[in-house]
Amino acid sequence: MAEEKKKRDGFGSKLGIIAAAAGSAIGLGNIYRFPCEVGNNGGAAFLLVYLAVVIFLGIPVMLSELVIGRRSQSNSVGAFKKLAPKTAWPIVGYMGVLCGFLIFAFYSTVSGWTLEYIVKSVTNSFQGKDLATIEKEFTAFHDMGWRNVMWQGIFIFLTGFVVFKGVKNGIEKYAKILMPLLLVILIALGIRSITLPGAKEGLAFLFKPDFSKITGKVLISALGQGFFSLSLGMGVLITYGSYVKKSDNLTSTAFSVVIADTVIALLAGLVIFPAAFSFGVKPEAGMGLVFNTLPMLFNQMAGGFWFCLIFFVLLAIAALTSTISLLEVLVAYLSEELHLKRQWATVVACAGTMLLGAFASLSLMSDTPFAIGGRPVFDLMDFISSNILLPVGGVLIVIFLGWYFGKQKFFAEVTNEGTIKAPLKKVIFFIIRYLAPVAIAIVFISGLIK
Ligand code: PFF
């Protein structure tokens, strides 16, 4: 245990918290899931709600998690045990661990695809193909269930390897260079996309809201997407917060991460929708929206081969820094609460995820046996974890902070015991205590009434 402790601290002192938290936040959620959700929920109207969610709820919830983590110096379950001994609050932590497990299981499916697409890029396999062919090949790939499982396994192994080896410092350092590169590539793709013929319609879809489209489902989806994209509600940022130095500024960390994450998501939207409308990919195409539109876009670009390859490599790395954070929640819990050796904790968590994750991958085959009520298990895992468990976790976290943990300790933590200024602390605390719980509850109830 003592040794464990040392390891966590050492890792923390060298890790840039912004890089780690942004690494967790920026991932497939921004580039793959965000366009799917925008497309399925009416475009600009969804985007507006989403932006409100990340600004008014994302920042306060993120700050709450960081405060809880740094104050307790513990994993997501241990944090509540320490800060609220002999209460039921640790349930929030257990829920987070369960949710992390579920998310890792289906997230690793799509992460695996990035590896398949790297291979496809290297072999130049999209070149000269039309949309119908690319779409057919995407479906055919899903139908090769075990190939999906193989890539998924490789991805889980890679994640485990990084966490196992404890070379996070390395990966986070690379991520610091590579994520800005992802930004540059997205800007280049965005420029190409909005200059395609017919791109205007895509821009209108993304930016011209039709308020009649805001339904309970849209609200819940935007809430879920906001939490998912920012890695909130399941203890990633509690766990990472416990690695943060006492001298770091938590408020500015939360702001930086939310801004970076939102910029990347918006850029992804700007790349996908103009191109999708131009090529005739339907906005409701879900997974195909990204995996079919992008290869078409690369085909329209000078140097498309390189753009394609670099893009999928960066996407895989973005996914990896997110899966690392998911695994870290599980490993921190297993090693600190159940006293497994860190290495064994990694093996157990990866093996468990592989088992559950295989169902997610195999459920996307056309003739899958793994569907419930006609919906693939993949979708159910996503829906339950992102749209239900994360917001519920988030609301419990802000209630804990606002009503149990309290103002004094919150102010002490965000001002580093009075050594730095945190001018927004009162407003943010007000949101945490009153606004966030009410807002999340309203969204939830409106979704249920629908
Ligand atoms: N935020 C990540 C993304 O947008 O890709 C996914 C994620 C990571 C969700 C960690 C939740 C989480 F705890």
Side-chain angles (χ1 to χ4, degrees):
M1 228 1 226
E3 195 196 331
E4 272 325 314
K5 195 79 203 152
K6 240 195 274 155
K7 239 184 241 164
R8 299 182 77 216
D9 292 346
F11 156 64
S13 61
K14 287 195 209 104
L15 181 85
I17 174 62
I18 296 183
S24 170
I26 296 170
L28 299 170
N30 305 60
I31 290 162
Y32 150 81
R33 196 177 189 280
F34 175 74
C36 287
E37 293 293 299
V38 174
N40 278 320
N41 289 289
F46 173 90
L47 180 60
L48 267 185
V49 184
Y50 175 78
L51 288 176
V53 166
V54 293
I55 295 168
F56 294 110
L57 301 176
I59 293 170
V61 176
M62 185 173 291
L63 193 55
S64 303
E65 287 203 26
L66 290 172
V67 162
I68 292 170
R70 187 167 74 174
R71 188 76 177 190
S72 66
Q73 292 290 302
S74 201
N75 64 83
S76 55
V77 173
F80 289 99
K81 284 192 185 163
K82 261 195 203 159
L83 298 177
K86 304 206 175 74
T87 65
W89 282 110
I91 292 175
V92 182
Y94 288 113
M95 242 176 65
V97 170
L98 178 77
C99 184
F101 181 47
L102 263 182
I103 292 182
F104 193 13
F106 73 83
Y107 196 89
S108 52
T109 297
V110 186
S111 303
W113 299 350
T114 63
L115 302 180
E116 167 88 5
Y117 273 65
I118 290 174
V119 173
K120 278 185 190 271
S121 326
V122 172
T123 53
N124 207 0
S125 83
F126 302 117
Q127 219 201 348
K129 289 183 178 157
D130 61 1
L131 181 66
T133 313
I134 289 178
E135 281 177 344
K136 225 195 273 150
E137 288 182 358
F138 185 52
T139 313
F141 170 53
H142 282 168
D143 284 339
M144 288 186 271
W146 289 105
R147 192 172 166 92
N148 286 256
V149 174
M150 172 193 79
W151 285 125
Q152 176 176 36
I154 293 174
F155 206 94
I156 292 175
F157 177 82
L158 280 175
T159 311
F161 185 77
V162 174
V163 171
F164 188 89
K165 278 281 185 189
V167 287
K168 290 195 186 88
N169 271 327
I171 186 102
E172 295 299 348
K173 247 183 244 154
Y174 289 124
K176 259 191 229 172
I177 305 163
L178 293 173
M179 289 307 105
L181 187 61
L182 179 66
L183 184 79
V184 173
I185 293 255
L186 282 174
I187 292 174
L189 298 183
I191 292 172
R192 183 64 196 105
S193 178
I194 58 178
T195 51
L196 287 167
K200 260 203 196 129
E201 245 183 289
L203 286 174
F205 180 75
L206 192 59
F207 292 122
K208 262 207 189 144
D210 169 357
F211 291 100
S212 68
K213 292 220 170 112
I214 300 184
T215 58
K217 173 176 170 270
V218 169
L219 292 179
I220 282 219
S221 305
L223 187 71
Q225 175 61 22
F227 277 81
F228 185 88
S229 189
L230 294 170
S231 304
L232 295 177
M234 53 150 285
V236 162
L237 289 150
I238 294 180
T239 309
Y240 276 16
S242 73
Y243 304 138
V244 176
K245 279 182 285 181
K246 288 286 178 194
S247 57
D248 275 331
N249 184 335
L250 296 183
T251 316
S252 66
T253 299
F255 270 90
S256 311
V257 174
V258 169
I259 291 169
D261 189 73
T262 308
V263 166
I264 296 277
L266 282 174
L267 271 175
L270 268 176
V271 172
I272 298 297
F273 288 103
F277 275 80
S278 173
F279 300 136
V281 179
K282 294 224 160 33
E284 303 84 20
M287 295 161 174
L289 196 57
V290 173
F291 283 91
N292 295 329
T293 305
L294 283 176
M296 287 294 291
L297 182 65
F298 296 128
N299 277 344
Q300 304 285 322
M301 295 179 77
F305 172 83
W306 290 106
F307 272 108
C308 182
L309 179 60
I310 297 171
F311 176 82
F312 281 114
V313 169
L314 291 177
L315 189 59
I317 293 169
L320 185 63
T321 53
S322 299
T323 50
I324 287 171
S325 72
L326 288 164
L327 182 57
E328 185 62 37
V329 169
L330 306 182
V331 169
Y333 164 70
L334 291 173
S335 63
E336 290 175 18
E337 299 303 311
L338 302 187
H339 307 298
L340 285 183
K341 271 219 163 86
R342 201 177 151 89
Q343 279 82 348
W344 278 114
T346 311
V347 171
V348 168
C350 285
T353 307
M354 189 62 247
L355 212 64
L356 187 68
F359 289 101
S361 284
L362 296 174
S363 76
L364 295 173
M365 298 186 299
S366 335
D367 57 351
T368 185
F370 305 118
I372 299 172
R375 288 183 75 179
V377 167
F378 178 101
D379 286 359
L380 290 173
M381 284 182 182
D382 185 351
F383 185 84
I384 292 170
S385 54
S386 315
N387 292 6
I388 298 177
L389 291 177
L390 291 183
V392 170
V395 86
L396 292 174
I397 285 167
V398 282
I399 291 175
F400 173 78
L401 203 111
W403 296 90
Y404 187 94
F405 188 77
K407 194 155 131 182
Q408 245 62 47
K409 279 188 247 165
F410 175 76
F411 284 2
E413 203 52 51
V414 292
T415 59
N416 297 352
E417 310 294 337
T419 57
I420 56 166
K421 286 213 172 84
L424 291 175
K425 62 181 184 296
K426 284 191 184 148
V427 180
I428 297 180
F429 189 76
F430 179 82
I431 297 179
I432 290 173
R433 192 169 154 106
Y434 299 105
L435 212 72
V438 174
I440 300 175
I442 290 178
V443 169
F444 232 82
I445 293 166
S446 64
L448 293 180
I449 289 174
K450 171 215 150 247

